[in-house]
């Protein structure tokens, strides 16, 4: 494969980059960063559940069945020049196309053959993740506490799907032939940190657009502390927000003048963002070790998050001072109540954590900083 990298008129290192697939605005945010750095970037995806922006839309309308799949194939064939001759192709997953796994495997072979380097994102469920969770690689996850399964009935379909022969075949093939892995969370890095993948594994923080200073308000300056609980009914068994909410509601019942809870279900994204602006605290995920996109976007605006903030995560990223997250753990209600009471009822504590939240995201997740980290990885791959 011919090297396509070049120097622009200012002597800057430039690349042709294809971003395939999407997950909660990660690729659309990276595209802005990469383009700001002077690179030629194309984003192709089905948009994910948030209908994220993209240059070429591969979404399917399943009402049309097989015809919708043929439309996806036609979109690829009619834009074939986009899918060849790139310095870097980054895929959000092994299952990038909204097509059967056989098509995805064939598509990966094509991408690998006609582009220089392929990076596979470790951003979600796959057989490596589920097998590592079952082995107790971390103390807890959304499927296990240690090696003990949880939410067995709810998780059954997720785990069984990833162990279907066609899923296993496609995942294993992509993993074997990918040139690098970009893990967006500490959890995924831990799951993939094995002899098989370690030499190609990179931790790449989630990219967040940092609001202007005038748009960041220090939260929690007065009673009551306003807590927002946004629940996606279909995915609550994975997130566990309703379990955290029950604990916060217990505290609110004890101290109604100090804690106020607003619980909403399946609200549209724009409406949810407006609610978030009014909240001091956001209830996010019970089963996570670390903050993901929803948490980080809230923290960037000064909203304090109840979710994943384990000490080993801070150690992993080298953070010695900031502790902005109200960390909760599954199946530890006593511990969680103590942590929540301390954070919500101690005067000035939420305001302090609000300042630390914005500072934390600015320090570790600013999208331009993360984009430069990606560029360092891409440049190493292209040598």
């Amino acid at each position: 494969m011919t090297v396509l990298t070049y120097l622009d008129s200012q002597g800057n290192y430039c690349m042709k980059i294809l971003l395939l697939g999407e997950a909660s605005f990660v690729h659309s945010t990276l595209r802005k960063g990469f383009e700001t750095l002077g690179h030629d970037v194309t984003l192709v995806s089905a948009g994910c559940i948030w209908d994220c922006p993209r240059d070429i839309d591969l979404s399917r309308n399943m009402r049309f069945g097989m015809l919708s799949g043929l439309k996806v194939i036609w979109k690829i064939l009619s834009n074939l020049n986009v899918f060849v001759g790139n310095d870097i192709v980054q895929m959000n997953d092994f299952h990038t196309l909204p097509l059967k796994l056989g098509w995805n495997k064939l598509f990966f072979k094509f991408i690998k053959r006609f582009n220089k380097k392929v990076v596979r994102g470790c951003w979600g469920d796959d057989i490596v993740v589920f097998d590592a969770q079952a082995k107790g690689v971390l103390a807890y996850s959304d499927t296990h506490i240690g090696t003990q399964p949880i939410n067995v009935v709810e998780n059954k379909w997720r785990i069984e799907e990833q162990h279907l022969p066609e899923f296993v075949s496609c995942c294993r093939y992509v993993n074997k032939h990918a040139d690098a892995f970009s893990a967006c969370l500490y959890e995924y890095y831990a799951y993939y940190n094995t002899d098989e993948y370690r030499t190609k594994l990179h931790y790449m923080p989630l990219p967040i657009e940092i609001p202007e200073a005038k748009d960041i308000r220090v939260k929690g300056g007065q009673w009551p502390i306003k807590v927002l609980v946004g629940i996606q009914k279909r995915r609550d068994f994975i997130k566990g927000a309703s379990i955290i909410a029950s604990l916060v509601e217990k505290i609110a019942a004890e101290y109604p003048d100090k804690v106020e809870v607003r619980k909403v279900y399946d609200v549209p994204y724009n409406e949810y963002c407006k609610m978030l602006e009014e909240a001091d605290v956001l209830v996010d995920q019970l089963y996570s070790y670390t903050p993901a996109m929803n948490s980080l976007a809230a923290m960037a605006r000064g909203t304090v998050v109840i979710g994943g903030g384990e000490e080993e995560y801070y150690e992993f990223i080298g953070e010695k001072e900031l502790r902005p997250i109200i960390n909760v753990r599954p199946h530890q209600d006593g511990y969680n109540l103590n942590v929540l009471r301390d954070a919500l009822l101690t005067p000035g504590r939420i305001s302090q954590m609000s300042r630390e939240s914005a500072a934390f995201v600015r320090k570790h997740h600013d999208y331009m900083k993360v984009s430069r980290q990606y560029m360092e990885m891409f440049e190493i791959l292209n040598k």
Side-chain angles (χ1 to χ4, degrees), residues 21-86:
E22 184 58 281
S24 300
F25 298 94
V26 175
H27 266 165
S28 56
T29 305
L30 285 175
R31 177 179 62 176
K32 294 179 183 178
F34 294 164
E35 288 178 341
T36 300
L37 293 173
H39 301 284
D40 179 8
V41 187
T42 304
L43 172 52
V44 180
S45 82
C48 91
I49 62 171
W50 298 117
D51 195 28
C52 302
R54 57 272 198 196
D55 299 308
I56 298 176
D57 178 22
L58 296 184
S59 61
R60 291 183 64 173
N61 187 335
M62 297 308 296
R63 289 184 303 172
F64 299 104
M66 186 179 296
L67 290 177
S68 64
L70 292 174
K71 181 182 177 183
V72 172
I73 296 171
W74 171 248
K75 276 285 187 74
I76 294 171
L77 293 175
S78 60
N79 293 281
L80 206 57
N81 62 307
V82 169
F83 299 94
V84 300
N86 295 282

Side-chain angles (χ1 to χ4, degrees), residues 317-380:
I317 62 174
E319 179 53 63
K320 300 183 183 303
E321 298 177 359
L322 300 172
R323 295 294 184 273
I325 301 161
I326 303 173
N327 184 54
V328 289
R329 298 168 178 165
H331 293 204
Q332 296 190 32
D333 286 357
Y335 164 86
N336 292 339
L337 280 169
N338 288 335
V339 169
L340 290 167
R341 286 194 177 100
D342 180 62
L344 297 174
L345 303 177
T346 301
R349 182 70 186 282
I350 293 300
S351 292
Q352 175 192 345
M353 297 184 79
S354 174
R355 294 185 186 93
E356 289 193 3
S357 294
F360 181 89
V361 176
R362 189 180 304 111
K363 180 177 180 180
H364 295 284
H365 293 275
D366 174 71
Y367 82 105
M368 288 307 302
K369 178 182 178 180
V370 174
S371 294
R372 291 186 180 94
Q373 288 178 249
Y374 268 94
M375 284 303 130
E376 291 175 5
M377 176 179 69
F378 294 164
E379 288 177 21
I380 290 172

